[in-house]
Amino acid sequence: MSLYYEVVFACFLRDATPEPVLAALRWHTGASADRPSHLDANEHPYPLLAASPDSCLPGGEFAFLQRQSRGSWDAWGLFTRNLWLDDDIGELVTVLNLLAPHVEDPGYGGYMREEGDAKRSIFTFRDGAYGLEAD
């Protein structure tokens, strides 16, 4: 029997995030149809954050990457919520490695939890690296 995980990313990326990273995130979120040529197909096999219209998550899946004002400066807001099959959960490293060097605010960046479970594993970002902490 397969397990599923709700995976959420909620973080700001620095305004100066390089265009190749933004292009990769646009493709991963489904905002761009074609895989950027600089992405290795083995490391980025398919769009990992694209929302499925047939998801069984309450409220559905979504994926947004947009430039946002944060008062006196701008940043790239990333907000995604997806259902991941347990066989694919190892692919999270691809997304975490892509985000970590560019996250603007240290600390919370999202979570993952087994479907139906209240306990979460929190994604944290600090100094260009990421970690997982139990909720």
Side-chain angles (χ1 to χ4, degrees):
M1 182 176 175
S2 296
L3 293 175
Y4 289 89
Y5 290 85
E6 178 185 22
V7 176
V8 173
F9 286 100
C11 57
F12 283 103
L13 305 177
R14 287 186 286 282
D15 191 34
T17 298
E19 183 54 37
V21 173
L22 295 172
L25 287 170
R26 286 184 193 105
W27 179 71
H28 277 299
T29 60
S32 176
D34 297 321
R35 177 188 301 131
S37 60
H38 68 277
L39 292 182
D40 180 327
N42 291 322
E43 187 177 348
H44 300 264
Y46 51 88
L48 297 169
L49 302 172
S52 170
D54 298 324
S55 177
C56 62
L57 270 176
E61 295 185 17
F62 43 83
F64 298 103
L65 174 68
Q66 68 181 46
R67 196 154 182 245
Q68 296 177 250
S69 173
R70 296 201 68 196
S72 60
W73 73 96
D74 292 333
W76 290 95
L78 177 69
F79 191 54
T80 66
R81 179 177 182 247
N82 307 93
L83 194 62
W84 289 48
L85 183 62
D86 60 347
D87 289 344
D88 296 331
I89 211 72
E91 299 292 342
L92 273 175
V93 172
T94 300
V95 176
L96 292 165
N97 285 335
L98 190 62
L99 297 177
H102 310 287
V103 171
E104 184 168 70
D105 302 317
Y108 177 86
Y111 68 87
M112 62 181 268
R113 69 176 180 89
E114 190 175 319
E115 185 181 31
D117 195 356
K119 187 171 265 192
R120 304 175 300 172
S121 294
I122 305 294
F123 304 127
T124 59
F125 296 98
R126 188 171 322 303
D127 300 326
Y130 66 86
L132 285 173
E133 297 177 8
D135 187 21

